[in-house]
């Protein structure tokens, strides 16, 4: 009797989550298969013909292959900023966990401030213009690093605290210099949390819309999230192309999800249990 | 080789302070400096090339213009509604997903996946789904005889509709945090409660809920701060409309920036900063203090 009730409950849960969480994605895919006329109806219906390939070609070639440029830009920004984040955050987390100095309190405070305070947008633009890095890819990369450092440092610090100090002390006694200790001994041991960092931050930076909107204007610098505005205009939206584009930019997170689901969950729930 | 004997004295710490430097420079230049600069520029009329000091005029304007005040109120409503729902729904889903239920892996994946998807993509998709006449949601409601509301066209409803989509996208994160919290509760507590003859409901309210406090604290803090800062979803769905009905401080900041009112935009930034400080600092203190009592 009890198992039958829980079976029914389970079925209900499957149906409910399917309706709420899966159908919107099915809708996106169906729209990507439709031609312009049918897509403009924006209803949940079976495509009358198979137009995915045509849509895809049109999305990719629109505005002088802007989507391709955007994918290259976004990938570059993601790759470089995540690399810098990993190295710099691990360095901070390492010293922060190992050495008690009077700076630690200040660093902790700055980490919390970084997690809470909304970035001051226009002053940042003004400053970046002064440094001549406004509207450039490297400027964007540095901004992403600055904004995401606190979270990465928190992940690293918690993990480094679990690595026995004796390991680096042994290396120091053997005469290794600080840089060698860090890059040859500590950093490799941090691999699990590095993977978590890479995955979580890549998804966040790849999906970032607001910061490129402010700091990286111009078509030549488009990032993938901004390409979605290619097909929305005052002259009418091409819904088939718009949804093909949405489907296209959902593929990278989907791949990450399929391969790194566990690391993402580990990263995002880090510290949640102990508070 | 002889120098080895002297070296320990002069050799710097094996955990050198300069390891902080690369991160510190980037963070100080691109985050801290603009934050401090915003305190000054919010008091000016500013064209990026020159600024005139005008005292608190921007802030006066911010609290006098009805649509800017509404943006402030909307921001708080949005943050409270979205984080409140994420706590309740996330906890229920997590309890469900840690019980003996069918297709647990499928359910977890399906609920979590939207967290990783582009916010703008989600926003655009739901804007189409929430269309008053052609949208799938209202068409589905029509089938069972309900006339669905204008989710995003009704000024009273628009903000809540966007908050609902925020919950749709973010509840997966709350759920996995709660799952991590639930898994960490020792079985003995339930065993003891069972011996005392506790019902399922009592189990939940007297064992699960109090022991989930750290997870709840994390979920509230994360989603509340996130809610106060939300820009991309609102911009993708309503652009603050209809009228100013779903404007938040973050969308006001962008609009003033676009209009070239840099001083006012920066004042908006400072207002948001203060708002987050006023609300989040006491909130986290409250959440952490109660935890200490138990």
């Amino acid at each position: 009797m009890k198992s039958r009730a829980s079976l029914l409950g389970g079925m209900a849960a499957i149906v409910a989550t399917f309706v709420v969480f899966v159908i919107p994605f099915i809708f996106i895919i169906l729209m990507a298969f439709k031609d312009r006329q049918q897509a403009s109806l924006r209803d949940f219906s079976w495509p009358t013909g198979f137009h995915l390939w045509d849509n895809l070609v049109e999305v990719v070639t629109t505005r002088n292959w802007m989507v391709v440029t955007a994918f290259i830009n976004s990938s570059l920004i993601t790759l470089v900023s995540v690399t810098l984040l990993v190295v710099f955050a691990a360095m901070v987390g390492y010293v922060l966990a190992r050495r008690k100095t009077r700076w630690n309190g200040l660093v902790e405070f700055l980490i919390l401030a970084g997690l809470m305070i909304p970035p001051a947008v226009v002053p940042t633009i003004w400053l970046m213009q002064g440094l001549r890095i406004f509207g450039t890819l490297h400027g964007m990369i540095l901004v992403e690093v600055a904004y995401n450092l606190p979270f990465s440092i928190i992940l690293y610090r918690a993990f480094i605290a679990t690595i026995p100090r004796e390991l680096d002390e042994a290396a120091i006694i053997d005469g290794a210099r600080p840089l060698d200790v860090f890059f040859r001994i500590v950093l490799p041991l941090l691999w699990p949390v590095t993977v978590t960092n890479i995955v979580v931050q890549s998804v966040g930076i790849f999906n970032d819309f607001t910061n490129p909107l402010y700091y990286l204007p111009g078509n030549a610098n488009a990032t993938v999230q901004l390409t979605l505005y290619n097909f929305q205009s005052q002259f009418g939206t091409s819904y088939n192309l718009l949804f093909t584009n949405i489907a296209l930019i959902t593929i990278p997170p989907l791949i990450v999800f399929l391969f790194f689901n566990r690391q993402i969950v580990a990263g995002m729930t880090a510290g949640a249990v102990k508070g | 080789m002889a120098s080895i004997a002297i070296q320990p004295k002069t050799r710097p710490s094996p955990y050198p302070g300069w390891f902080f430097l690369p991160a510190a420079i980037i963070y100080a230049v691109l985050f801290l400096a603009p934050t401090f600069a915003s305190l000054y520029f919010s008091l000016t009329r500013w064209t990026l090339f020159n600024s005139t000091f005008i005292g608190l005029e921007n802030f006066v304007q911010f609290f006098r213009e009805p649509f800017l005040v509404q943006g402030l109120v909307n921001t708080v409503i949005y943050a409270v509604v979205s984080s409140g729902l994420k706590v309740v729904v996330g906890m229920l889903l997590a309890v469900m997903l840690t019980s003996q239920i069918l297709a647990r892996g499928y359910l977890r994946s399906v609920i979590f996946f939207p967290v990783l998807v582009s916010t703008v993509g989600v926003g655009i998709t739901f804007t189409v789904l929430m269309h008053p006449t052609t949208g799938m949601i209202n068409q589905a409601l029509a089938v069972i005889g309900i006339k669905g509301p204008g989710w995003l066209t009704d000024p009273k409803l628009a903000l809540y509709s966007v908050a609902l989509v925020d919950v749709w996208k973010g509840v997966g994160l709350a759920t996995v945090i709660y799952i991590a919290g639930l898994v960490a509760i020792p079985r003995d507590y339930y065993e003891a409660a069972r011996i005392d003859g506790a019902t399922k409901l009592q189990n939940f309210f007297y064992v699960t809920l109090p022991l989930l406090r750290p997870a709840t604290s994390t979920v509230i803090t994360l989603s509340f701060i996130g809610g106060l800062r939300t820009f991309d979803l609102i911009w993708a769905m309503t652009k603050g409309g209809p009228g100013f009905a779903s404007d938040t401080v973050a969308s006001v900041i962008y609009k003033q920036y676009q209009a070239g009112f840099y001083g006012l935009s920066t004042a908006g930034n400072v207002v948001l900063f203060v708002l987050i400080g006023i609300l989040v600092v006491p909130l986290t203190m409250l959440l952490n203090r109660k935890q200490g009592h138990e």
Side-chain angles (χ1 to χ4, degrees), chain B residues 70 94 97 103 105 107 118 124 145 205 268:
Chain B
Q70 196 185 359
L97 288 179
L107 291 173
S118 145
I124 292 171
F205 280 104

Side-chain angles (χ1 to χ4, degrees), chain A residues 20 99 110 127 168 207 225, chain B residues 15 17 27 29 116 118 168 269:
Chain A
V20 175
R99 187 176 159 194
L110 290 177
L127 203 91
D168 27 298
N207 281 338
Q225 304 304 318
Chain B
Y15 309 114
Y27 184 80
V29 172
L116 306 178
S118 145
W168 181 88
N269 242 314

